[in-house]
């Protein structure tokens, strides 16, 4: 209905119908499409927030290029800079453009004034560097970022996962295991299945590496069951 209202120029009806459909959608890709229609029929600044929300969902749904297309059409206001930059980074990194992702994050970090926004950006920058440009300093940076996340209550589970992954990949330190276990449990408790799967991949690899085959098999089995 939202598409028909939009095509007919009934913007208010299209906006309302799209929001209802987005909230009822069971898949993130479907919700993203509805949010995009809502954004096209909304007034600023709400339209900007809806476009960013649609892009975030498109990234989660494994559609990074449409997400980038949406974000590139947005000039984010100060209150949306962090979300915009993190979504842009996730999409660009998924498309094999990590250096561009880091550039956008560094630019955003230089402009934000809110501490929670800065923490979100630093967590994402750490994730990108972990996968694309690790360095000896990354272990200490991961610890600092996780401490900031705990202190501010921002993205604690994601920061814990990334620190655990860094300890596993870069330091081969068994201290990664309790971090990955806790992050996995907390992601499951919050029903963030995408984050849960990302953590499970690292937890499975770490369990194998540190000769814990029973734990590795349990993680693989649980994830396969939940993915059905």
């Amino acid at each position: 209905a939202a598409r028909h209202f939009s095509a007919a120029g009934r913007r208010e009806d299209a906006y309302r119908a799209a929001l209802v459909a987005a909230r009822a959608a069971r898949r993130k890709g479907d919700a993203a499409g509805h949010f995009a229609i809502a954004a096209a029929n909304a007034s600023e600044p709400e339209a900007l927030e809806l476009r960013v929300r649609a892009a975030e969902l498109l990234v989660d749904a494994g559609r990074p290029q449409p997400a980038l297309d949406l974000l590139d059409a947005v000039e984010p206001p100060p209150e949306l800079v962090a979300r915009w930059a993190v979504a842009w980074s996730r999409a660009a990194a998924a498309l094999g453009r990590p250096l561009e992702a880091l550039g956008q994050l560094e630019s955003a970090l230089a402009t934000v004034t809110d501490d929670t926004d800065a923490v979100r950006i630093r967590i994402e920058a750490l994730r990108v560097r972990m996968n694309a440009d690790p360095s000896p300093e990354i272990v200490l940076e991961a610890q600092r970022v996780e401490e900031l996340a705990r202190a501010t209550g921002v993205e604690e589970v994601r920061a814990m996962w990334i620190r655990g992954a860094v300890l596993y990949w870069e330091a081969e330190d068994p201290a990664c295991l309790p971090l990955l276990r806790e992050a996995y449990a907390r992601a499951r408790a919050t029903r963030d299945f995408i984050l849960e799967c990302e953590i499970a991949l690292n937890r499975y690899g770490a369990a194998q590496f540190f000769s814990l085959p029973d734990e590795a098999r349990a993680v693989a089995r649980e994830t396969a069951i939940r993915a059905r």
Side-chain angles (χ1 to χ4, degrees):
R3 293 183 189 278
H4 294 302
F5 287 140
S6 184
R10 295 169 59 181
R11 298 187 62 200
E12 183 65 25
D13 290 332
Y15 168 75
R16 293 181 183 279
L19 284 184
V20 169
R23 290 162 182 158
R26 299 184 64 182
R27 289 182 291 192
K28 292 190 175 185
D30 294 338
H34 296 308
F35 275 122
I37 295 172
N41 290 279
S43 301
E44 308 292 354
E46 187 175 12
L48 297 176
E49 195 279 333
L50 289 170
R51 289 189 188 104
V52 172
R53 178 65 177 140
E56 291 168 336
L57 290 169
L58 285 168
V59 175
D60 284 344
R63 298 171 60 191
Q65 188 57 61
L68 274 186
D69 293 341
L70 263 180
L71 292 166
D72 284 339
V74 171
E75 185 68 35
E79 65 272 17
L80 283 177
V81 165
R83 283 179 60 191
W84 182 94
V86 169
W88 201 99
S89 169
R90 291 180 63 208
L95 291 167
R97 297 160 56 183
L99 296 182
E100 292 176 66
L102 287 171
Q104 288 285 11
L105 292 169
E106 289 169 6
S107 296
L109 189 59
T111 64
V112 297
T113 57
D114 185 89
D115 288 344
T116 59
D117 284 345
V119 172
R120 287 190 176 91
I121 293 168
R122 289 184 66 178
I123 290 171
E124 172 61 12
L126 185 63
R127 185 192 70 84
V128 176
R129 284 200 298 273
M130 174 183 73
N131 290 319
D133 187 29
S135 66
E137 295 79 22
I138 198 170
V139 174
L140 288 177
E141 174 65 7
Q143 180 180 343
R144 285 193 292 266
V145 168
E146 194 213 355
E147 289 170 353
L148 282 171
R150 288 182 183 273
T152 58
V154 175
E155 300 278 7
E156 291 180 64
V157 176
R158 187 173 295 275
M160 188 186 308
W161 156 52
I162 293 171
R163 185 184 176 198
V166 166
L167 286 172
Y168 163 43
W169 285 108
E170 302 304 323
E172 298 182 357
D173 187 338
C176 69
L177 290 166
L179 288 166
L180 293 171
R181 288 168 185 151
E182 183 180 351
Y184 180 78
R186 290 178 64 178
R188 286 195 67 172
T190 58
R191 299 185 179 183
D192 189 336
F193 184 64
I194 292 173
L195 181 58
E196 177 188 331
C197 288
E198 290 179 307
I199 298 167
L201 182 63
N202 289 137
R203 188 182 168 199
Y204 173 84
Q208 291 277 46
F209 184 82
F210 292 108
S211 302
L212 298 168
D214 291 343
E215 180 172 344
R217 283 193 293 270
V219 172
R221 183 170 57 252
E222 289 172 9
T223 305
I225 290 170
R226 288 171 60 74
R228 291 174 184 169

